[in-house]
Amino acid sequence: MAKFLFSSATVDFVTFDIMSGDNVPLLDPQDPDDVELLTQPSRGELVKRADGKGFDYLNHTNLETDSVSFTYNRIVGVSTTSVTATVNFTRPLALLGYSLHGYNLPPVDPATNKAVFWPGKSTRVTKIAAAGFTYQAIAAREPALSDTATIGQVMTWVLANPCTVAPDAGAYYGKTDNLALDQVFGELVADNQFTDFVSPWVLYKGGDTFVKGKVFSGQVSENRVHPSVLGAYGTGKPYFAGESATMKGMPYVGIQDITFGDRMEVRDCSYLCIDGSDLDSAYKDAEGGFEFGGAVTSTARHTAEGITVRRSKLLDSFRRVPVSGGTSWSTGKGDRGSAMYATNMLGVLIDEVFIDMSGWSIGYRGDYLYTDGVNFWPKGPDIFSHGFYFQQNTMEIHFKNSIITRPSGSDFQLRGGGMLQNINTSYANLGNTHTLGWWVNDVVEGERIGHWGYSDRYVKHHAGLKNYFASPTNSDARGINLPPEGVVPFRTAILNMGTKLGTFISGDQIGPLGHSTTPKNGDAFVSASIYPSPASPVYIRDHSGVIIGNWNSGSYPNQNTNGLDATAIEGLDISEYAKILLDNPAATYFDFCDYLRTLEDPISALEPLQRFQLSPFGVISSTVRTTPQTCVFQQHAVGSPGIRMDIELDWTQGDLPGTVAGDSIDMAGHHGQGSFNPKNRITDFTLGPSLLWNGGCMDLLGDLIVPASGSTLTVCDNAHFYVNDVTGGDLTLNVTEGVFINRQALTTVVDATFRYGSIGILAYEGGSYTVGSGDTLTVYGYADVGFEGDSGGTATLNLNAGGTLKFKPSMRFMLNTSTMSYDPIVMNVITFYPFHMPVKGSTFTGTNANQARCVASVIGSIATGADAVWVYADDLVGPAFADTEALTGPTIAAYYYDKGTKVFGNVQGTYQPVMGAITDVQSGMHGFDANGDVIAENVASVVNLNGINLEIDLWMMGNVTDFPLIDVGSVVHNANFGTVTINGGDEKDVTIDVTSTQVLLTIANGSGGVTVNYPV
C-alpha cells in the first residue's frame, strides 16, 4: 500500500511497504496518466507498467530488508511531478518460490489436445492386443522356426527378423496393428527393450481388456524430449484390470490413454506425464487412486521432480475392503483414501482432471459397519480422505482447469502450498478446501518460510454434506482454510453451503442427500497464521476480494456479491445450471455429476459452468474474447507472481495469449517464465530482457522481436520453441533438455549454446542459420544439433569469419548411493530423509584435480532394482572421474534445502564423455511410419565453412579416430578455419580432417600438436 507523505506542485514523496523477496506492483497513489522512471533502486528491478499507473517491482530473489529508493516523474495531463519513492520491507521473512519450478509439460496436438511425445533414436514400438499373436502362433507360421520353439527362441527371432507371411511380409511382429502380439509374449518382447537410456513404446489396443498391463520400472529413458511411452493404439482406451499397477524408479515416461481398473502407484519417477489416462474403479491398499512420490518413511531418499497429470478422470476412488480385514470400517485414518495422493515431489502440474466420489461410496452405514456376515456395505466418508491430498514435502504445485465433485473430506488438502486456477469444486463433506502453506516447526528471521499461493476463477460450493463422520465434532463445513502470509485468493467464490441439498435420509443407510445442520465450524473463509509469530509484523496478503454468498450467514455474512440477494445466489447453484444444461426442469446436482461421468471430456463443461456462476458477480465476462489482440504482460495489482506467463490476470486482456487466433505477445520490458501451450499459434512475440521457456510449445507464426538492448532466451525442461524471422537486437540462446527450431533465416543470435538432452534445429528445410563475426555457437555432447526436414529441402549453416564454433564434451555417470548423505527434514506432521544432491548449475570437484558443472541429477533404478542416481555434467576440466572417486560440491535436499558444500557421493564405475557434434537430426517429430519405424529426417543439409574460428575441449576425452564433429549432406570449404584452439589437450595430438560431407576429429597420445587437413 502506498502512503502519501508530502506533496507540492513539483515534488512528491511516497513510501511503499512490501514483503521481502516479493514481486509487487508499485502503483502511484495519484492515479497518473503516465509515469517515467528516472533511477532504479539499488536492489531489484523496476519495469514500467503498460497502463502507466506505476511500476512492477521485480524483487523475488532478494531477502534483504533495508529500505531502497528510486525516483520517477508522475505525469497528469500537462503537469509533471518529480517523485522520490521509498520501499520499506515489513519483515525479514519471505516466501519460498513462486511456483517457478519447471513442469513436465510436453507440446499438445491442437486438434485433439493430446500430449505429443516424440520417439527417440532408440525407440522400438511394441503393439499388444488381446487377440494378438502368441509366440506359438508365430512359431507355427514362420518357416525359420520350429513348432517346438521356446518363447525365448521366438523372441530372439522376432527382434531380428521381419514377418515372411503375406500380406505383412517385411514388417516386424509387434510393430504394426496387423502383427500385434498377445499380452504375455508382447510384454516379454517389450521387456527386452528396457535398458538405460533407451525409450521403448508399449502400445495396447484400444477397447481391449488386459490383466494389469505392462508397467515400466527400473531404467532411465533416453531423455526428457524422448520419453518411454505406455499408451494405446486404435480406437478407445485399453482397460487394465486386476491388481494395482506400480511403476518405480524410471524417469522420463509418458502414460497416455489408459484406463486403470485399480490404483496406479508411482514411486521415485521423475519427469512423468500421465495424459488422458483414467481411474475407473477403486483400490484396495493405498492412500491414493493415483499415488505419487516416495513413502513418508525413513527410507524415502528421492524427491520426484516434474510430475504432470492432465485430461484424466478419477472415479470412485475408495477402498473395497477394510485394511484391518475386520467387519467395520475405520472412522479414523485406517481406511482413508484420496483420488490422488502425493508426497516428496517438486514441480507438479494437474490440468483438466475430473474427480468424482473419492474416499466414500453411496449406501454406507452410519455405524460404519462393513459386513454382518451376510450383507456388505461400502466405505463411509471420513475427514482424512480428499480429492487431492498432497503432503507438506510436495511443493510447487499448480492445479488448473479441473472439476471435483463429492469428495469425502476436502477438495484439496495442499500442505505444501500451490496454485489453483479455473477450478470448480462441490459437495465436499468437510468443506476445508485448501490449506495453502508450508507447515514448519521453526521460523528463523531472514529465511523463506512458505510458498507463495494463489487462487483465481475458483468456485467452491456446498460443504458438510454427510451427517456421519467419526464423531459429530468432525462434521465441519468450512469453505476455505489457509494461512494469510503467502496466499492470495482472487475471483474466488464460496457459495450456497446449506441450500439445494435435499432432505435428511434416516435409518442405518445414509444416502447422498444427508447433510449436517450444525457443523462445528461453518466459516466460509478461515485465515489464520500457522507459523510461530516472528519478531517483525506478519504480512497479511489481500483477501478482501473473496466472494461469499449464502454460506452459514448467521456467522459469516455475504460479501462482494455485486448486489445479488440470497435468492439470486441460490439461482447460481449447480442444480439450477443442470436444469439448463440437461434441458430438464427436474434435474439435480447428482444428475449433473452423472452427466459428467459419461463424457469423454468432462472438462468441456467447465468453462460454461464458470461463466454461469462467476459472471453475475462482475468478475468475469459472460462470453469469451473473440478479437485478436497484442497481449501485453503487466503484473496484476493484487498478489500475482509478476513473472509467470500462465497467469491470466498478468495480461492486459485478462486471458492467456493465444486464446484467439491472431494474438501477439509483448512482454513490455518484463522478464518472463512461460510454461503453457497456447490454444492458437502466436503471431509476433516481443521479448523482454529475458525469457525462461520451460514447458509447452511456443510455435510462432510471425516474428520473434528482440529489444534493441538484447535479450536472453532459455529453453529447457522439454519445452519447445519454434521461430521464423528473428528481428531487432541481439539474442542469446540457451537450450538444455528442450527443443529449439529455426525455420527461416536466423542471423541475430550472438551466442547460442546447446547442452545435454537438447534438440537444436539450426535450420529446418528452407531455413538458414548464420554464425557471424563476434557470434558463438557452442555444442555439447548428448545434444542433437543440426538440420531437420520432411521433404528433402535445403537447410544451410553459414560459419563466417570472426565467429567461433565450439565443441565441448558432456558426460553422465552413476553415484554409489551407499556413499550419499542424508539427514531428517522435520515438518509439522512428517519427517523425511532425502539425499543431498548436487545443485544444478554448480561446479563440483573430484579428488583427482578435476571438476565439472552439474547439468542435472536424476534418480533411476538399475536393472538389479537397486537405487541409483545419475549425474549429467559438462564444462569438464581435468582427467576423467575414476571409479569410487569422491565428488564435492554445493548440495541441496528435496530441491529446496541448502545443505552446503560437501562430498555428495562417490562415482560408481568408469565413464567416458561424449563430444558435441552437428549432424542431420532424427528428432522424432514426424512419429512412426506404416511399418512402426521412427520416421527419419529428410533434408539436404549444407555447411559453409567461411573462415570461422574453431575451439574444441578435450578434457576427460579418450583417444578417438575420425569422430564426426560435422556430418551433413554437404560441407563447402570456402575458407580455412580462422584459428583452431584446443583446450585440455597438452598430452594429446589432434588431427582435423575436412571432407566434402564431414569434419572429422582424431585424438591420439602426443604433446599438443594440431593438424588440419583441408580438401585439395
Side-chain angles (χ1 to χ4, degrees):
M1 176 181 292
K3 298 178 180 178
F4 186 62
L5 300 183
F6 169 78
S7 67
S8 68
T10 58
V11 179
D12 204 351
F13 298 89
V14 299
T15 64
F16 300 94
D17 292 335
I18 69 171
M19 186 175 176
S20 58
D22 211 1
N23 284 351
V24 178
L26 303 181
L27 304 180
D28 186 280
Q30 300 299 312
D31 190 29
D33 297 325
D34 200 3
V35 293
E36 178 186 15
L37 182 65
L38 300 177
T39 61
Q40 288 275 3
S42 60
R43 185 172 66 251
E45 179 182 1
L46 290 172
V47 176
K48 178 184 170 182
R49 293 171 59 83
D51 59 13
K53 303 300 183 182
F55 305 92
D56 292 340
Y57 185 34
L58 308 183
N59 189 51
H60 67 276
T61 60
N62 296 296
L63 295 180
E64 295 86 348
T65 58
D66 54 302
S67 298
V68 298
S69 62
F70 63 95
T71 60
Y72 66 95
N73 285 333
R74 174 195 298 140
I75 301 170
V76 179
V78 296
S79 174
T80 298
T81 301
S82 176
V83 180
T84 298
T86 300
V87 181
N88 297 320
F89 299 93
T90 60
R91 65 174 178 176
L93 300 176
L95 300 176
L96 258 176
Y98 277 71
S99 295
L100 294 178
H101 193 83
Y103 301 117
N104 187 29
L105 180 60
V108 301
D109 182 339
T112 64
N113 195 29
K114 289 186 177 183
V116 176
F117 303 113
W118 286 6
K121 290 176 287 187
S122 64
T123 295
R124 177 177 177 132
V125 67
T126 302
K127 293 185 175 181
I128 298 175
F133 282 98
T134 65
Y135 81 91
Q136 296 98 329
I138 295 172
R141 75 196 302 253
E142 289 293 345
L145 292 170
S146 164
D147 288 349
T148 60
T150 66
I151 192 170
Q153 290 170 333
V154 176
M155 181 184 70
T156 299
W157 187 90
V158 161
L159 290 172
N161 299 280
C163 170
T164 65
V165 182
D168 299 303
Y172 282 80
Y173 287 98
K175 295 177 70 172
T176 68
D177 294 6
N178 290 342
L179 295 177
L181 307 176
D182 82 319
Q183 184 175 3
V184 173
F185 186 51
E187 290 179 358
L188 181 66
V189 170
D191 276 336
N192 186 265
Q193 311 301 308
F194 281 81
T195 58
D196 281 329
F197 306 109
V198 172
S199 293
W201 285 37
V202 186
L203 307 182
Y204 291 79
K205 185 177 181 181
D208 284 3
T209 297
F210 302 91
V211 179
K212 186 176 181 178
K214 169 68 185 173
V215 179
F216 297 163
S217 185
Q219 288 80 36
V220 180
S221 300
E222 190 172 319
N223 53 43
R224 293 187 69 169
V225 177
H226 296 132
S228 298
V229 173
L230 173 67
Y233 74 94
T235 303
K237 298 180 181 181
Y239 184 83
F240 284 10
E243 63 184 81
S244 62
T246 302
M247 186 171 76
K248 176 176 171 56
M250 188 167 178
Y252 314 134
V253 173
I255 298 178
Q256 189 168 55
D257 293 337
I258 303 289
T259 297
F260 294 93
D262 206 325
R263 71 183 180 93
M264 175 63 180
E265 180 182 359
V266 178
R267 295 291 185 215
D268 309 329
C269 296
S270 291
Y271 314 117
L272 167 69
C273 179
I274 297 179
D275 178 68
S277 294
D278 304 331
L279 181 74
D280 192 29
S281 182
Y283 51 91
K284 305 176 183 70
D285 56 359
E287 296 197 5
F290 280 1
E291 184 170 353
F292 299 97
V296 187
T297 67
S298 61
T299 60
R301 302 281 181 267
H302 307 326
T303 298
E305 183 180 14
I307 307 296
T308 294
V309 181
R310 63 184 305 273
R311 293 196 314 117
S312 296
K313 292 193 292 186
L314 281 68
L315 308 179
D316 303 329
S317 302
F318 53 87
R319 297 181 189 271
R320 289 301 191 262
V321 297
V323 172
S324 66
T327 60
S328 294
W329 294 103
S330 168
T331 57
K333 299 180 181 180
D335 291 322
R336 69 178 176 179
S338 303
M340 194 177 297
Y341 176 85
T343 180
N344 205 5
M345 300 199 311
L346 181 72
V348 182
L349 175 62
I350 308 296
D351 188 11
E352 299 184 43
V353 172
F354 170 54
I355 290 176
D356 185 44
M357 296 299 298
S358 59
W360 72 287
S361 179
I362 294 172
Y364 67 94
R365 278 179 60 115
D367 58 5
Y368 279 61
L369 187 66
Y370 164 58
T371 181
D372 60 6
V374 178
N375 302 297
F376 296 86
W377 288 271
K379 180 185 176 298
D382 62 76
I383 65 169
F384 304 105
S385 300
H386 311 289
F388 292 97
Y389 187 176
F390 282 18
Q391 281 287 8
Q392 292 162 278
N393 57 355
T394 295
M395 298 172 282
E396 303 284 19
I397 312 164
H398 192 175
F399 295 89
K400 58 195 301 188
N401 307 318
S402 295
I403 301 173
I404 305 175
T405 54
R406 300 184 289 188
S408 172
S410 300
D411 323 39
F412 296 95
Q413 176 82 316
L414 307 181
R415 287 181 164 156
M419 298 173 56
L420 302 172
Q421 280 186 288
N422 203 29
I423 304 289
N424 195 290
T425 71
S426 54
Y427 279 44
N429 295 305
L430 183 61
N432 179 13
T433 303
H434 54 289
T435 305
L436 283 175
W438 194 9
W439 296 6
V440 293
N441 288 339
D442 299 298
V443 173
V444 179
E445 297 291 325
E447 291 189 355
R448 297 179 183 269
I449 62 167
H451 284 281
W452 172 89
Y454 182 75
S455 66
D456 181 41
R457 286 173 55 103
Y458 173 53
V459 182
K460 155 75 182 176
H461 36 99
H462 301 108
L465 173 62
K466 302 298 170 292
N467 194 67
Y468 285 95
F469 281 94
S471 68
T473 59
N474 283 328
S475 186
D476 289 8
R478 283 173 285 177
I480 296 178
N481 184 68
L482 50 76
E485 290 91 346
V487 182
V488 179
F490 193 80
R491 297 195 295 190
T492 294
I494 307 170
L495 307 175
N496 293 329
M497 180 191 88
T499 62
K500 300 293 182 181
L501 288 178
T503 58
F504 176 82
I505 297 178
S506 61
D508 288 338
Q509 282 190 275
I510 305 301
L513 303 183
H515 71 281
S516 171
T517 56
T518 57
K520 180 186 71 174
N521 183 341
D523 283 350
F525 189 80
V526 181
S527 178
S529 177
I530 58 175
Y531 304 108
S533 298
S536 53
V538 173
Y539 180 86
I540 305 298
R541 293 282 185 157
D542 188 346
H543 300 158
S544 61
V546 175
I547 299 164
I548 299 173
N550 294 349
W551 195 281
N552 196 18
S553 59
S555 61
Y556 218 103
N558 291 351
Q559 69 176 37
N560 298 323
T561 57
N562 197 33
L564 301 183
D565 61 17
T567 301
I569 295 171
E570 187 172 307
L572 302 178
D573 193 84
I574 285 184
S575 62
E576 298 300 319
Y577 179 71
K579 294 173 183 177
I580 300 171
L581 176 69
L582 304 178
D583 192 22
N584 178 3
T588 68
Y589 168 79
F590 305 103
D591 294 326
F592 176 76
C593 296
D594 291 340
Y595 167 75
L596 292 183
R597 293 170 70 103
T598 67
L599 297 179
E600 181 177 352
D601 177 18
I603 304 305
S604 62
L606 175 61
E607 188 61 25
L609 174 60
Q610 295 289 78
R611 294 189 182 275
F612 175 83
Q613 293 189 308
L614 284 175
S615 63
F617 297 109
V619 295
I620 66 172
S621 171
S622 60
T623 59
V624 298
R625 177 171 63 92
T626 57
T627 303
Q629 294 186 15
T630 295
C631 307
V632 180
F633 190 85
Q634 173 180 273
Q635 185 175 8
H636 188 258
V638 180
S640 69
I643 190 170
R644 290 185 54 140
M645 295 172 61
D646 55 353
I647 305 293
E648 293 178 336
L649 290 173
D650 279 350
W651 295 96
T652 51
Q653 78 283 356
D655 54 23
L656 292 183
T659 297
V660 179
D663 280 354
S664 292
I665 288 176
D666 184 356
M667 293 303 296
H670 287 78
H671 300 271
Q673 182 250 326
S675 182
F676 69 103
N677 284 292
K679 291 182 179 179
N680 294 280
R681 292 174 64 185
I682 299 300
T683 303
D684 295 330
F685 191 135
T686 301
L687 292 170
S690 70
L691 173 63
L692 171 65
W693 188 256
N694 63 346
C697 181
M698 180 58 66
D699 183 4
L700 297 180
L701 280 168
D703 293 351
L704 181 67
I705 303 169
V706 182
S709 56
S711 184
T712 298
L713 170 62
T714 299
V715 183
C716 58
D717 298 333
N718 193 25
H720 291 226
F721 206 101
Y722 309 159
V723 302
N724 297 309
D725 282 342
V726 180
T727 62
D730 292 335
L731 178 66
T732 298
L733 175 66
N734 299 297
V735 186
T736 303
E737 291 193 301
V739 178
F740 176 83
I741 299 177
N742 165 48
R743 289 180 295 220
Q744 293 190 19
L746 184 52
T747 62
T748 58
V749 178
V750 296
D751 189 353
T753 303
F754 296 91
R755 296 185 183 271
Y756 184 95
S758 62
I759 291 180
I761 307 303
L762 300 174
Y764 198 84
E765 62 173 296
S768 65
Y769 185 105
T770 298
V771 182
S773 180
D775 298 345
T776 301
L777 171 61
T778 304
V779 182
Y780 285 83
Y782 294 112
D784 289 325
V785 178
F787 309 93
E788 246 281 19
D790 55 59
S791 59
T794 300
T796 304
L797 172 62
N798 300 307
L799 301 175
N800 292 349
T804 302
L805 174 63
K806 297 182 180 181
F807 293 102
K808 293 175 175 282
S810 299
M811 71 183 308
R812 56 193 180 199
F813 56 86
M814 188 183 292
L815 295 177
N816 185 332
T817 55
S818 67
T819 65
M820 298 181 69
S821 60
Y822 55 88
D823 53 25
I825 295 177
V826 180
M827 291 185 168
N828 182 267
V829 296
I830 59 173
T831 300
F832 67 120
Y833 302 76
F835 278 131
H836 300 166
M837 304 283 279
V839 175
K840 294 180 183 180
S842 68
T843 297
F844 60 87
T845 61
T847 54
N848 198 20
N850 49 11
Q851 68 179 39
R853 173 187 175 275
C854 178
V855 177
S857 51
V858 65
I859 295 160
S861 290
I862 58 177
T864 60
D867 290 333
V869 172
W870 286 92
V871 176
Y872 306 159
D874 61 22
D875 288 346
L876 312 176
V877 176
F881 296 114
D883 185 22
T884 74
E885 183 174 354
L887 304 179
T888 300
T891 61
I892 198 165
Y895 301 100
Y896 262 117
Y897 299 88
D898 183 359
K899 293 298 179 179
T901 298
K902 63 171 65 176
V903 173
F904 57 79
N906 291 11
V907 178
Q908 181 173 313
T910 57
Y911 305 86
Q912 287 295 318
V914 171
M915 181 63 74
I918 295 174
T919 65
D920 294 344
V921 176
Q922 181 179 291
S923 65
M925 69 168 64
H926 310 298
F928 298 96
D929 64 18
N931 290 324
D933 295 319
V934 180
I935 298 174
E937 72 285 355
N938 182 11
V939 61
S941 51
V942 178
V943 174
N944 290 312
L945 298 181
N946 299 327
I948 197 166
N949 301 317
L950 178 65
E951 183 175 328
I952 305 172
D953 281 9
L954 298 186
W955 296 111
M956 301 192 189
M957 289 289 297
N959 292 343
V960 298
T961 301
D962 290 341
F963 174 83
L965 294 173
I966 299 177
D967 186 4
V968 296
S970 175
V971 174
V972 181
H973 173 231
N974 296 315
N976 293 351
F977 293 117
T979 60
V980 177
T981 303
I982 305 297
N983 301 313
D986 292 347
E987 298 179 356
K988 302 289 184 179
D989 284 342
V990 172
T991 301
I992 300 169
D993 293 299
V994 178
T995 75
S996 62
T997 59
Q998 295 178 311
V999 175
L1000 301 172
L1001 170 68
T1002 295
I1003 307 172
N1005 293 333
S1007 56
V1010 178
T1011 301
V1012 183
N1013 298 314
Y1014 297 101
V1016 176

